[in-house]
């Protein structure tokens, strides 16, 4: 059975020292609140403001007006109809419970009429009084008569004792309602209530149908306005209620029902005064929708316990009554039924008065003369305080409300007088005291009706509040879950659209059409190539080569050659044609390669191709065989490029496992594996596949010569055995074997010797792989130098022994050389060179490395204890990142602390409010996550105060706060916010479900919400029908948009969408403020977190706006190789920056509000600013097109907006004694500024301003040709740096692994060229050029060995793979050396 606890003071009930204190919704005085309401607003709603009367529905003023203003009247379902009435069609009364039953409503209507009767009477005697005065004087008289009736007429009748005379106003007397009266004694009347409401007429005849109390709850208005059934014009019986007709109906039939009820109440006998209560109140009392039948007795007992009433004996003692120990003394004259009731109570309360409820004990005391001693004492004491403590009591002459005569007149007024004056009931049909009946009084009720003679009470019914919300609940959260994927789809569409706009231009379309026309005139056939199930067909063109039986496949977009299908070595050519689904596809099998699957637009186009192809192969003496298959069969039969690649993967693994006895064995018991092994052994490599395996171009001279050397049978393919022989040769062969292989490759005329021209060809092939070109004179000079150094200057050609002597000085480089195979994913083992025990450079000899050797970065690995390796890694990581780790721990600690505090508060401390009982722990989760969210979304603003961070990082605070990590910390805070956002949503999902399943009465826990009595808020209301829910949904959608478009992929490919969506942060904060403004559970905390960061962010943003809206002219632009655009623009006045800092730039031609970050490549001392922009996305490509000289022609450069400068970790390079700068790709841009700055300070001898004594610059690039602009800067550094303070090392990664055969040969060429020209063969610099990727571990160890410092600053900028490799090397070297390598990095 549900029980709703009583309203209480929210500041109480939180501890044993502060017990809960219940509050009254009405005043304790007898002030007519039953008639006029408890507030001035309520009272004014009841007034008509005409003649001092209350607003009535009918012209005669018999009934109150309908509740059109929406007063909060109680609204419970009727016994038979499980629904709620429209409160606007209910009569207005001063008390919200007046509609409970017909008897109570009859008193409400009677007193309503009594007020209007007095107002009319006063208006007749005082015609000059205003409406307001008439109303208040009538109200005074109504209250006075009500006080007199209750205190001097009803109460003595109930208690059987007379009230003592009025002693006058006692201002020290507390008139409040005592808990024991409210929760126990005031419910004594329950024992008097009968099961039926008796009605009679003036002739003492009872109505034909009595109203059963249990079936008339909350049906009184319908019963009073029930019209007599009548036959309509259409023959239908009409019994509809139409309250509006009352105002136009002068028939007294409805009025007679009121009279019948009042006369029946005056004549009806009450139930016997005992401890028994009728079932209409006890088990069939009204209840809410979900529990339509309640038990008022049980509710009363629960109310007493809710109020914390004492036990029965303690209550007696408090009212100076003796405590009881013997159950016989509680009611000595009890009837047998009462005696049995006491026996039952003894068993229930374990024979103890000290455990018995006050209400139970009070009822057991009841006698035929009325309440027992306890209830009588409580009631008398309560009413005495109410009367004596009321300053406006009608008998109080000091308040001046009534004269002595008027007081006497009030004392003479009885309830009978009011009934007679306000109804049509004759005076002689009522007894003088309507509360009792004595012998001789009219119209006595002959007998009390038993429950068996009455209609049965309607049974209990339940109600599902969640009904109608299930579908919307599921769909709403499904929609929220799907929305991120919708955002991803939108992002993908935007990406495809931007990619389309970027790729397809008018010029490209025109050139493609022109090229297509040219190729079409050459007889090419247009079609589509099907490549795989997972890929879309690509547009191709087919061309028949005239000189050989070959079909060239060209791209349909740009005419580039995709592949050449050589059919010259095949006697017959097969074609598989599809015979279904359009009949437009054919398969051309290509042995030893992947097949060609061609799709045509129509079958006729395919037939045209077959005719031409047949003629073509016949010309070359080939037979063409055609076979029909289904489309599925053809596609399944085709060996696609992917299938061919998988076969080659197995092919390479098998070769290497055979060569090195590696564990790659086939399962001989598996037929599929055996068939696959046969395919591997029969597989042969084409020249193109061989070139792909070496990561080279098929037309490369090196590939031509190597392929020719391996292909022993000269069939144009490399077999399994041929490749196996080569792998074994390069992995396990001697130096002579490898050199012999190389020698034969370039012995073009197979004369057994290499002339100088063939040696030059060898060098050209190596330089071709390195994408480097030398003039013929330079190559001849290089060859001559190599011959001279080897003592072969007199020879015109070289035999093999001479060739070996040519590379004799560099023999160790070739010893461990192999081939780097791209076609396999396994790392090949290679042989080790012989150990030279006389090597003086060995670390075991204890001899310190020479400076030249250390500068060549031949690092040495110190020995360390492997047991402590992991510990040292962790220790280094903590040491190198102690500040970020500290602040991360602090940040997460605050977030967890805020969550835990709110969770505990709502789960434990606010248990008294009922939130957790109603909504479970969902409310604690949602409130805890909301507090953490408030902190995260406020703190995140501080991470974007770029100007403030730039200024502050130059102060001493930079020693304690890692300001350079602001962007990374911004992401951490953002993703933490995502976590708590999801947690908040999940918590509210549970909250919404629980709230939707609760009755409206329980929603009183929300102080800011009010519902009409007939409103049942569904899930849709909680989600969208209130400010908090609606803004919460919008806030969730906005956050999804911001986060989806802020991912790394979105920023890379659709930066403009990221930039635009991120501006929604303003909307996000506005919605967040509105979200908390609903104040459903508490006052919003978010403004307190938000205020400070918002003010600082606004000021910081205003600083940026003040400067970035200044148009800046571009002085120079240049399109550099590798899609790099150089921009040089004017330096704004008072623009101060440091090398390594960055700015944000917006090109006005592309939009005034889209800014992109770029590192300044100019030095602080220069008069202009410059940046180098790599074209990767749409914005940078458009920028390149805008500044293209062909597009500009004679037009001036478009102007830009500049925002910055902003601080970066790279600018701290000068704070370390030794700094290592590592740049990859376009990531070298910050170091261009640093190097130029360093050169300038060196030129003016001002290096004393910096701490750095040694600077290492490591440039990692695919090709030196990509960034030739940086080469000029490095050349300036070399010219100025006469003392070798700057050490430059260039790594060209377009080459191969360190011990690859080709790389070894390139090393040899590089060293010989450096001897000749004192500069690098590839860069033209004195700096050392390395081939392949740098081994940072060895580099850093060599740095520490050379510098002997305790701390080295490592700065890297480039792709994530590069910076991760540097970080790993820093960790490794910090644990194996005595230096700490502190890593600062940026990714692009």
């Amino acid at each position: 059975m549900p029980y709703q606890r009583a309203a209480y003071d929210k500041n109480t009930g939180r501890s044993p020292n502060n017990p809960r204190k219940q509050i009254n919704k009405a005043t304790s005085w007898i002030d007519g609140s039953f008639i006029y309401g408890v507030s001035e607003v309520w009272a004014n709603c009841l007034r008509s403001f005409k003649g001092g009367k209350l607003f009535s529905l009918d012209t005669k003023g018999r009934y109150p007006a309908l509740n059109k203003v929406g007063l909060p009247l109680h609204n419970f379902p009727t016994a038979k109809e499980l629904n709620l009435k429209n409160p606007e069609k209910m009569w207005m009364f001063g008390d919200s419970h007046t509609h409970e039953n017909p008897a109570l409503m009859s008193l409400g209507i009677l007193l309503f009429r009594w007020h209007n009767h007095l107002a009319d009477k006063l208006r007749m005697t005082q015609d000059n009084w205003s409406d307001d005065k008439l109303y208040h004087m009538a109200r005074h008289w109504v209250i006075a008569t009500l006080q007199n009736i209750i205190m001097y007429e009803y109460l003595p009748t109930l208690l059987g004792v007379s009230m003592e005379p009025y002693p006058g106003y006692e201002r020290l007397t507390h008139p409040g309602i005592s808990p024991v009266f409210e929760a126990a004694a005031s419910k004594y009347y329950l024992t008097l209530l009968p099961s039926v409401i008796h009605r009679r007429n003036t002739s003492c005849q009872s109505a034909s149908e009595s109203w059963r109390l249990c079936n008339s709850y909350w049906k009184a208005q319908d019963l009073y306005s029930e019209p007599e059934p009548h036959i309509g014009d259409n023959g239908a019986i009409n019994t509809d209620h139409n309250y509006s007709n009352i105002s136009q109906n002068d028939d007294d039939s409805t009025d007679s029902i009121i009279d019948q009820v009042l006369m029946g109440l005056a004549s009806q006998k009450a139930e016997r005064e005992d401890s028994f209560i009728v079932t209409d109140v006890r088990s069939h009392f009204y209840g809410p929708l979900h529990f339509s039948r309640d038990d008022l007795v049980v509710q009363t007992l629960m109310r007493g316990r809710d109020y914390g009433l004492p036990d029965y004996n303690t209550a007696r003692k408090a009212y100076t009554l003796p405590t009881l120990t013997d159950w016989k003394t509680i009611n000595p004259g009890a009837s047998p039924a009462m005696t049995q009731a006491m026996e039952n109570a003894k068993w229930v309360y374990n024979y103890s008065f000290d455990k018995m409820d006050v209400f139970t004990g009070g009822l057991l005391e009841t006698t035929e003369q009325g309440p027992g001693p306890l209830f009588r004492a409580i009631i008398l004491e309560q009413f005495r305080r109410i009367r004596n403590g009321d300053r406006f009591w009608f008998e109080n002459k000091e308040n001046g409300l009534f004269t002595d005569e008027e007081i006497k007149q009030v004392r003479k007024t009885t309830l009978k007088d009011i009934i007679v004056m306000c109804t049509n009931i004759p005076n002689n049909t009522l007894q003088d005291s309507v509360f009792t009946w004595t012998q001789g009084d009219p119209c006595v009720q002959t007998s009390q009706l038993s429950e068996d003679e009455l209609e049965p009470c309607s049974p209990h019914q339940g109600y599902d509040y969640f009904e109608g919300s299930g579908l919307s609940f599921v769909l709403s959260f499904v929609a929220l879950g799907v929305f991120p994927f919708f955002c991803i789809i939108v992002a993908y569409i935007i990406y495809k659209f931007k990619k389309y706009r970027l790729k397809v231009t008018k010029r490209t379309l025109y050139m493609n059409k022109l090229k297509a026309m040219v190729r079409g005139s050459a007889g090419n056939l247009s079609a589509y190539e099907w490549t795989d199930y997972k890929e879309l067909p690509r547009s191709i063109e087919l061309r028949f080569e005239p000189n050989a039986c070959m079909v060239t496949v060209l791209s349909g977009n740009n005419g580039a050659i995709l592949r050449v299908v050589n059919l010259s070595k095949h006697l017959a050519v097969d074609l598989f044609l599809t015979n279904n689904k359009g009949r437009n596809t054919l398969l051309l099998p290509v042995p030893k390669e992947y097949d060609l699957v061609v799709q045509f637009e129509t079958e006729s186009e395919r037939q045209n191709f077959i005719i031409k192809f047949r003629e073509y192969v016949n010309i070359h003496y080939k037979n063409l065989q055609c076979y029909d298959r289904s489309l599925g069969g053809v596609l399944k039969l085709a060996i696609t490029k992917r299938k061919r690649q998988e076969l080659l993967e197995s092919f390479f693994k098998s070769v290497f496992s055979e060569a090195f006895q590696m564990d790659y064995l086939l399962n001989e018991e598996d037929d599929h594996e055996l068939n696959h092994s046969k395919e591997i052994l029969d597989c042969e490599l084409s020249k193109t596949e061989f070139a792909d395996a070496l990561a080279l171009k098929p037309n490369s001279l090196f590939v031509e010569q190597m392929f020719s050397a391996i292909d022993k049978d000269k069939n144009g393919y490399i077999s399994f055995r041929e490749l196996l022989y080569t792998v074994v040769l390069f992995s396990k062969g001697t130096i002579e074997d490898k050199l012999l292989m190389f020698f034969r490759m370039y012995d073009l005329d197979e004369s057994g010797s290499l002339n100088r021209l063939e040696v030059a060809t060898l060098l050209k092939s190596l330089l071709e792989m390195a994408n480097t070109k030398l003039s013929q004179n330079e190559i001849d000079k290089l060859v001559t130098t190599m011959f001279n150094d080897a003592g072969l200057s007199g020879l015109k050609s070289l035999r093999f022994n001479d060739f070996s002597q040519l590379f004799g000085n560099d023999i160790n480089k070739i010893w461990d050389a192999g081939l780097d195979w791209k076609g396999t994913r396994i790392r090949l083992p290679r042989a080790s060179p012989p150990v030279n025990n006389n090597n003086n450079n060995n670390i075991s000899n204890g001899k310190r490395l020479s400076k030249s050797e250390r500068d060549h970065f031949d690092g040495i690995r110190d020995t360390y204890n492997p047991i402590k390796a992991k510990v040292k890694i962790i220790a280094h990581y903590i040491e190198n990142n102690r500040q970020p780790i500290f602040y991360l721990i602090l940040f997460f600690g605050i977030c967890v602390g805020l969550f835990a505090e709110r969770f505990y508060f709502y789960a434990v401390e606010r248990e008294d409010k009922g939130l957790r009982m109603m909504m479970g722990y969902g409310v604690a989760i949602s409130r805890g996550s909301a507090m953490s969210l408030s902190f995260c979304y406020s703190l995140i603003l501080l991470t974007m105060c770029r100007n403030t961070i730039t200024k502050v990082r130059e102060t001493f605070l930079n020693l304690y706060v890692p300001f350079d990590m602001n962007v990374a910390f911004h992401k951490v805070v953002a993703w933490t916010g995502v976590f708590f956002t999801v947690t908040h949503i999940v918590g509210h999902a549970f909250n919404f479900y629980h709230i939707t399943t609760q009755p409206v009465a329980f929603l009183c826990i929300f102080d800011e919400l009010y519902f009409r009595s007939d409103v049942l808020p569904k899930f849709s209301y909680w989600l969208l029908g209130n400010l908090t829910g609606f803004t919460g949904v919008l806030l969730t959608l906005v956050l999804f948009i911001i986060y989806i478009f802020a991912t790394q992929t979105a920023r890379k490919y659709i930066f403009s969408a990221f930039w635009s969506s991120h501006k929604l942060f303003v909307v996000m904060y506005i919605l967040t403020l509105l979200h908390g403004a609903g104040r459903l559970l508490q006052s919003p905390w978010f403004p307190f977190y938000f205020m400070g960061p918002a003010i600082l962010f606004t000021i910081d943003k205003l600083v940026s706006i003040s400067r970035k809206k200044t148009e800046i002219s571009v002085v120079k632009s240049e399109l550099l190789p590798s899609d790099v655009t150089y921009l040089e623009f004017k330096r704004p006045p008072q623009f101060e920056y440091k090398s390594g800092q960055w700015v944000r730039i917006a090109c006005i031609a592309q939009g005034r509000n889209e800014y992109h970050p770029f590192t300044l490549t100019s030095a602080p001392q220069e008069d202009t600013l410059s940046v180098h922009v790599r074209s990767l996305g749409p914005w940078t490509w458009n920028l390149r097109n805008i500044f293209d000289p062909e597009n500009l022609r004679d037009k001036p450069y478009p102007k830009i907006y500049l925002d910055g400068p902003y601080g970066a970790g790279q600018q701290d390079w000068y704070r370390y004694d030794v700094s290592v700068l590592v740049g990859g790709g376009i990531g070298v841009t910050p170091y261009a500024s640093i190097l130029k700055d360093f050169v300038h300070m060196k030129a003016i001898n001002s290096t004393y301003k910096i701490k750095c004594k040694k600077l290492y610059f490591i440039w990692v690039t695919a090709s030196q040709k990509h960034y030739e602009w940086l080469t000029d800067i490095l050349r300036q550094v070399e010219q100025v740096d006469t003392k070798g303070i700057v050490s430059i090392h260039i790594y060209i990664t377009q080459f191969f692994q360190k011990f690859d055969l080709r790389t070894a040969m390139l090393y040899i060429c590089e060293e010989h060229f450096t001897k000749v020209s004192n500069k690098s063969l590839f860069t033209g610099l004195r700096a050392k050029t390395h081939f392949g990727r740098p081994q940072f571990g060895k580099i850093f160890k060599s740095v520490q060995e050379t510098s002997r410092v305790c701390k080295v600053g490592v700065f890297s900028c480039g792709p994530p793979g590069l910076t991760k490799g540097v970080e790993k090397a820093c960790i490794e070297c910090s644990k194996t050396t005595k230096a700490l390598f502190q890593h600062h990095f940026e990714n692009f």
Side-chain angles (χ1 to χ4, degrees), residues 623-885:
N623 294 325
L624 181 64
Q625 298 291 334
C626 296
Y627 306 93
D628 286 342
R629 294 283 193 278
S630 64
L631 178 61
V634 168
L635 299 182
K636 185 177 181 180
L637 181 64
I639 298 176
T640 63
K641 190 174 183 179
R642 179 177 59 82
K643 291 181 180 178
R644 177 70 178 177
Q645 192 63 38
E646 292 175 354
L647 180 61
L648 292 178
E649 181 77 18
S650 300
F651 177 81
F652 283 118
K653 286 183 178 180
S654 299
V655 169
F656 296 130
S657 64
E658 183 71 21
F660 303 109
Q661 288 80 44
M662 297 192 317
D663 188 13
Y664 181 69
L665 301 176
L666 297 173
N667 186 2
E668 297 181 357
E669 297 180 359
D670 193 334
D671 293 338
H672 175 73
E673 293 261 357
L674 291 177
N675 293 332
H676 187 57
S677 64
K678 187 176 182 303
E679 292 180 3
I680 292 174
L681 293 176
D682 294 339
C683 180
E684 294 185 351
L685 289 179
S686 66
K687 185 187 295 184
T688 301
E689 293 167 340
F690 179 73
D692 289 340
L694 294 176
L696 296 174
K697 296 180 180 178
N699 58 354
S700 167
L701 182 58
F702 182 87
V703 172
E704 295 278 356
Q705 299 304 119
M706 177 66 77
F707 187 84
S708 178
I710 299 176
D711 184 15
K712 302 295 184 180
D713 55 6
K714 305 302 179 184
N715 67 341
Y717 295 93
I718 298 177
S719 66
F720 182 89
R721 294 186 178 277
E722 290 171 341
L723 182 61
L724 177 61
Y725 172 79
T726 305
V727 171
V728 172
L729 174 67
F730 278 99
S731 61
K732 299 182 179 180
T734 63
I735 299 175
E736 288 76 11
D737 294 334
K738 298 176 184 179
L739 284 177
L740 181 60
M741 179 74 175
F742 218 68
F743 180 83
R744 290 176 177 175
M745 283 173 53
Y746 290 93
D747 184 11
L748 303 180
D749 54 4
E750 299 183 358
S751 62
S753 64
L754 294 179
N755 56 34
R756 295 201 176 206
L757 179 61
E758 289 173 330
V759 174
T761 302
L762 183 153
L763 297 180
K764 279 185 178 180
S765 68
L766 295 175
L767 296 175
E768 180 187 35
M769 291 186 297
N771 197 22
T772 300
K773 292 183 179 180
L774 292 179
S775 64
Q776 188 62 44
N777 291 334
E778 290 177 318
I779 293 177
D780 293 340
K781 190 176 181 179
L782 177 61
V783 172
T784 302
T785 303
M786 295 177 65
F787 272 58
N788 292 337
D789 290 346
L792 304 172
S793 58
L795 298 180
K796 297 295 184 181
S797 62
L798 303 176
R799 308 295 292 181
F800 177 69
N801 292 334
D802 301 327
F803 184 76
S804 300
Q805 185 178 347
L806 182 67
F807 295 97
N809 295 331
D810 303 287
I811 202 71
N812 286 332
K813 292 185 174 67
I814 305 177
W815 176 268
D816 202 25
L819 282 178
D820 181 53
W821 295 93
K822 181 184 175 183
T824 180
R825 299 176 184 174
I826 60 175
R827 186 175 184 87
L828 301 183
R830 295 181 172 91
S832 300
V835 178
N836 185 3
N837 295 326
N838 298 322
N839 187 358
N840 293 329
N841 292 330
N842 194 292
I843 189 66
S844 62
N845 295 333
K847 183 177 179 180
R848 185 173 178 180
L849 297 175
S850 65
K851 183 179 185 301
S852 61
E853 289 168 331
R854 288 196 300 269
D855 281 345
H856 279 77
F857 284 15
D858 293 333
I860 296 177
R861 181 183 180 90
D862 293 343
T863 58
Y864 68 98
N865 188 348
I867 299 177
K868 299 180 180 179
K870 294 295 182 182
V871 177
K872 199 162 186 178
I873 290 175
I874 298 174
H876 161 72
Y877 186 83
I878 295 175
E879 175 65 20
N880 202 23
N881 300 276
R882 59 185 183 278
Q883 285 186 345
I885 291 174

Side-chain angles (χ1 to χ4, degrees), residues 535-556:
E535 300 178 4
L536 295 175
R538 60 180 179 180
S539 175
I540 62 169
E541 293 181 3
L542 301 174
R543 182 177 68 198
F544 302 143
E545 299 297 338
N547 298 327
C549 189
M550 294 187 297
V551 179
T552 303
V553 182
L554 303 96
S555 172

Side-chain angles (χ1 to χ4, degrees), residues 99 192 338 358 368 583 896 931 938 954 1046 1118 1273 1276:
H99 285 264
L192 304 175
M338 285 284 290
V358 175
E368 294 181 357
R583 302 167 62 91
V896 173
M931 189 62 69
S938 301
E954 297 177 2
E1118 185 178 356
I1273 297 175
Q1276 297 176 19

Side-chain angles (χ1 to χ4, degrees), residues 213-286:
L213 179 60
C214 62
N215 291 334
S216 60
Y217 288 129
W218 300 101
K219 196 179 178 183
Q221 185 172 329
D222 294 339
L223 293 174
Y224 283 137
S225 56
E226 184 83 37
E228 293 293 333
H230 64 278
I231 306 298
D233 296 335
N234 57 359
I237 299 177
N238 183 6
T239 58
D240 292 340
H241 304 291
N242 190 353
Y243 306 130
S244 60
N245 291 337
I246 294 178
S247 60
Q248 303 171 358
N249 184 11
D250 292 332
D251 184 21
D252 292 337
S253 59
T254 303
D255 198 24
S256 65
I257 297 177
I258 299 292
D259 295 348
Q260 291 174 13
V261 172
L262 291 174
M263 288 186 289
L265 292 176
S267 301
Q268 185 176 3
K269 295 180 179 179
E271 288 292 323
R272 184 180 293 108
E273 292 180 287
D274 50 24
S275 62
F276 297 97
I277 299 174
V278 296
T279 58
D280 299 60
V281 177
R282 181 166 43 82
S283 58
H284 287 83
F285 194 63
Y286 67 88

Side-chain angles (χ1 to χ4, degrees), residues 201-473:
N201 57 17
T202 55
S203 302
C204 299
Q205 295 177 344
S206 298
S208 58
E209 181 181 358
S210 297
W211 293 340
R212 180 75 186 265
L213 179 60
C214 62
N215 291 334
S216 60
Y217 288 129
W218 300 101
K219 196 179 178 183
Q221 185 172 329
D222 294 339
L223 293 174
Y224 283 137
S225 56
E226 184 83 37
E228 293 293 333
H230 64 278
I231 306 298
D233 296 335
N234 57 359
I237 299 177
N238 183 6
T239 58
D240 292 340
H241 304 291
N242 190 353
Y243 306 130
S244 60
N245 291 337
I246 294 178
S247 60
Q248 303 171 358
N249 184 11
D250 292 332
D251 184 21
D252 292 337
S253 59
T254 303
D255 198 24
S256 65
I257 297 177
I258 299 292
D259 295 348
Q260 291 174 13
V261 172
L262 291 174
M263 288 186 289
L265 292 176
S267 301
Q268 185 176 3
K269 295 180 179 179
E271 288 292 323
R272 184 180 293 108
E273 292 180 287
D274 50 24
S275 62
F276 297 97
I277 299 174
V278 296
T279 58
D280 299 60
V281 177
R282 181 166 43 82
S283 58
H284 287 83
F285 194 63
Y286 67 88
L289 280 173
H290 62 287
F291 208 88
S292 65
R293 287 305 186 188
D294 211 333
D295 192 322
L296 186 54
V297 176
V298 175
Q299 292 287 339
T300 302
L301 292 173
M302 291 299 297
R303 184 72 65 192
R305 297 171 184 179
D306 182 13
Y307 277 43
L309 297 186
D311 60 87
Y312 170 69
N313 259 342
T314 303
R316 286 180 61 90
K317 186 176 181 180
Y319 283 88
T320 65
L321 297 174
T323 58
L324 302 180
T325 57
D326 188 358
W327 283 84
K328 296 180 180 180
T329 59
I330 191 172
N331 194 346
S335 62
M338 285 284 290
T339 303
Q340 182 60 43
M342 283 188 284
E343 291 296 325
N344 294 337
K346 288 167 60 178
W347 180 82
V348 170
Y349 291 104
N350 199 20
Y351 299 90
S352 175
F353 288 110
D354 296 335
K355 296 181 180 180
M356 189 163 58
D357 293 290
V358 175
F359 180 71
T360 304
L363 286 184
L364 292 177
E365 290 181 352
T366 304
T367 64
E368 294 181 357
Q369 287 73 34
L374 179 59
F375 275 1
R376 183 180 292 109
I378 294 173
I379 294 172
L380 280 174
E381 188 270 344
Q382 179 65 62
F383 277 94
R384 285 195 192 101
R385 289 190 293 105
I386 289 175
R387 182 190 65 176
N388 300 343
D390 187 359
R391 185 165 60 92
F392 296 99
W393 186 261
F394 77 97
E395 294 178 287
N396 182 15
K397 299 179 182 179
E398 296 179 359
N399 58 30
L401 292 177
F402 297 100
T403 63
D404 292 342
E405 292 298 324
E406 291 172 337
I407 293 175
K408 292 180 181 179
Q409 186 178 351
V410 171
R411 286 299 306 270
K412 293 180 181 179
T413 304
T414 62
L415 184 57
K416 174 188 176 181
D417 299 330
I418 296 176
I419 294 174
V420 171
M421 285 185 285
C422 297
T423 64
N424 297 323
I425 300 175
N427 184 54
N428 60 355
T429 60
L430 294 174
Q431 64 270 33
D432 292 335
S433 176
V434 295
F435 295 109
T436 59
W437 185 89
T438 57
Q439 192 66 31
D441 289 339
C443 300
V444 62
Q445 182 182 1
T446 56
S447 63
Q448 187 76 289
L449 295 175
S450 65
E451 294 182 3
D452 296 335
E453 301 176 83
L454 302 173
E455 62 173 327
C457 293
S458 300
H460 166 75
Q461 300 182 66
Y463 184 82
D464 183 8
Y465 289 96
F466 196 68
E467 183 179 358
S469 298
L471 183 62
S472 60
F473 181 85

Side-chain angles (χ1 to χ4, degrees), residues 1175-1247:
S1175 297
L1176 293 174
W1179 191 90
T1180 51
W1181 275 110
N1182 291 335
L1183 183 75
R1184 186 176 179 84
N1185 292 332
I1186 290 171
F1187 286 94
D1188 190 336
E1190 295 184 4
N1191 296 332
L1192 285 174
R1193 299 183 185 275
D1194 297 330
K1195 298 179 182 178
Y1197 291 121
K1199 295 186 176 182
I1200 63 173
Y1201 286 149
L1202 181 68
D1203 181 21
Y1206 296 115
Q1210 313 294 338
Q1211 73 182 62
D1212 293 333
W1213 62 273
Y1214 63 90
R1215 299 180 183 271
Y1216 296 87
D1217 290 326
V1218 177
S1219 293
V1220 180
L1221 311 180
V1222 182
I1226 197 64
V1228 298
T1229 50
Y1231 307 127
S1233 175
I1234 292 173
L1235 291 173
K1236 287 195 288 187
D1237 190 19
F1238 187 80
V1239 168
H1240 173 72
M1241 289 188 290
K1242 179 64 178 176
I1244 62 175
N1245 294 322
S1246 61
T1247 53

Side-chain angles (χ1 to χ4, degrees), residues 8-25:
Y8 68 100
D9 184 357
K10 300 298 178 60
N11 296 320
T12 63
R14 299 185 179 181
S15 70
N17 297 326
N18 184 20
R20 178 181 292 203
K21 295 181 180 179
Q22 287 72 25
I23 57 177
N24 294 324
K25 294 183 179 180

